[in-house]
Amino acid sequence: MPDDRTATLYFSRNYNPRLAVAVARFLEAPVDYQFAAPFAPDQQERFRRLNPNLSIPILVEGENTLWEADAIACRLSRMVGSDFWRSGDDLPDMIRWLSWAAWNFVRACDLVHFERVTKRRYDLGPTRQDVVDEGLARFAVVAPILDAHLDGRRWLLGDAVSYADFRMACVLPFHDLAGLPIATYPNIAAWNGQLEAMEAWRDPFAGLDAPELPPIVP
C-alpha cells in the first residue's frame, strides 16, 4: 500500500541529487524538498548526523535517515506503491543495468563531466586531459553496447520507463557541457529525448527553492 507519510529530501542541483529529485517528482512522492549544502562549514555538524559522508541526497522520515540516490529511489517507489523500481522477475534485469551503469556508462560519463564541468564550477584545479581522454575512450566502448540494447526498444526494461533508465542517464542532462558525443548513437539520442520530454526529468527543480549551480569558468 502507498505510504502517505511526508518525508524530507535534501538535495542540490548536482547530478546525483538531481536524480533523486527527478525520481520524487516523477513519482509524485509525498516529500518536502530542502536545498542543502552539507559541506558548508556551518552546516557540517548538522548534516554529519544525517550522513557521515556529508553528501546528498538524503531522505529523512521521522527518525529514519537514508542516503545514496539508488536507495532513495527504491524507498520512494515503495512509498507510493510504484513499479518504477522493478520487483519480482524484472528485478534481476534492473539490477543488471544499475550495476552496468555504475561501472561502465555512468563511470565513463562521470570521468569526462568531472574534469570538464565539476572542476571548472568549483575551482578544483586544472582539467586533466588524460582523464578526459580515458573517459571518452571508455564511452566509445560502452555507448555502442547501450545503443545496441536500445535498438527497437523505448526503454531499458520492457515498455515502460524504470529507475534503470533514470540512473543510466543521470549525467546526460549535462552532456552538452561535458561534450559527451551522444548524437553519434541514434538510439541513445532517441532514448535521451524521451526522457527529456518528461517534465520531471527535464526540469526537476521547477518551483523549488534551488539556487543555480556556479558558472563554469573557462
Side-chain angles (χ1 to χ4, degrees):
M1 294 294 291
D3 190 334
D4 61 1
R5 292 179 297 172
T6 299
T8 299
L9 179 61
Y10 293 96
F11 74 94
S12 73
R13 284 183 177 262
N14 294 306
Y15 76 76
N16 270 320
R18 182 192 191 280
L19 172 62
V21 174
V23 170
R25 301 302 290 266
F26 176 76
L27 294 174
E28 299 181 351
V31 301
D32 291 328
Y33 299 91
Q34 293 289 328
F35 184 85
F39 286 98
D42 62 341
Q43 295 294 310
Q44 291 185 17
E45 182 178 355
R46 173 193 177 195
F47 279 99
R48 200 179 303 278
R49 294 194 295 269
L50 302 179
N51 181 358
N53 303 290
L54 286 180
S55 60
I56 43 181
I58 303 169
L59 183 69
V60 177
E61 297 178 81
E63 297 299 316
N64 298 319
T65 300
L66 192 64
W67 33 273
E68 293 298 313
D70 293 352
I72 290 170
C74 180
R75 172 59 188 144
L76 293 175
S77 294
R78 292 175 63 84
M79 186 186 294
V80 302
S82 172
D83 70 346
F84 183 66
W85 183 281
R86 296 292 196 265
S87 59
D89 290 344
D90 290 334
L91 179 58
D93 201 24
M94 192 182 78
I95 296 299
R96 181 257 299 262
W97 287 112
L98 295 184
S99 178
W100 188 85
W103 290 100
N104 292 275
F105 188 76
V106 174
R107 176 62 176 155
C109 294
D110 184 55
L111 285 170
V112 181
H113 176 272
F114 183 78
E115 293 296 325
R116 286 180 169 174
V117 181
T118 302
K119 277 188 169 181
R120 294 178 183 175
R121 284 196 196 281
Y122 299 106
D123 192 21
L124 299 178
T127 298
R128 289 184 54 186
Q129 189 59 43
D130 61 320
V131 177
V132 172
D133 292 344
E134 178 188 352
L136 292 175
R138 291 190 183 199
F139 188 87
V141 172
V142 300
I145 296 172
L146 178 60
D147 197 66
H149 177 74
L150 290 168
D151 189 22
R153 300 172 183 263
R154 297 190 66 228
W155 305 108
L156 287 172
L157 303 175
D159 297 325
V161 67
S162 74
Y163 180 65
D165 296 289
F166 275 37
R167 168 46 83 188
M168 189 75 71
C170 64
V171 188
L172 297 189
F174 307 97
H175 74 89
D176 284 342
L177 294 174
L180 293 167
I182 67 169
T184 304
Y185 304 94
N187 298 317
I188 293 176
W191 165 74
N192 185 60
Q194 291 178 155
L195 287 167
E196 290 290 343
M198 298 179 176
E199 183 177 0
W201 181 260
R202 182 177 64 254
D203 188 9
F205 306 113
L208 301 183
D209 181 8
E212 295 289 340
L213 288 166
I216 296 175
V217 179

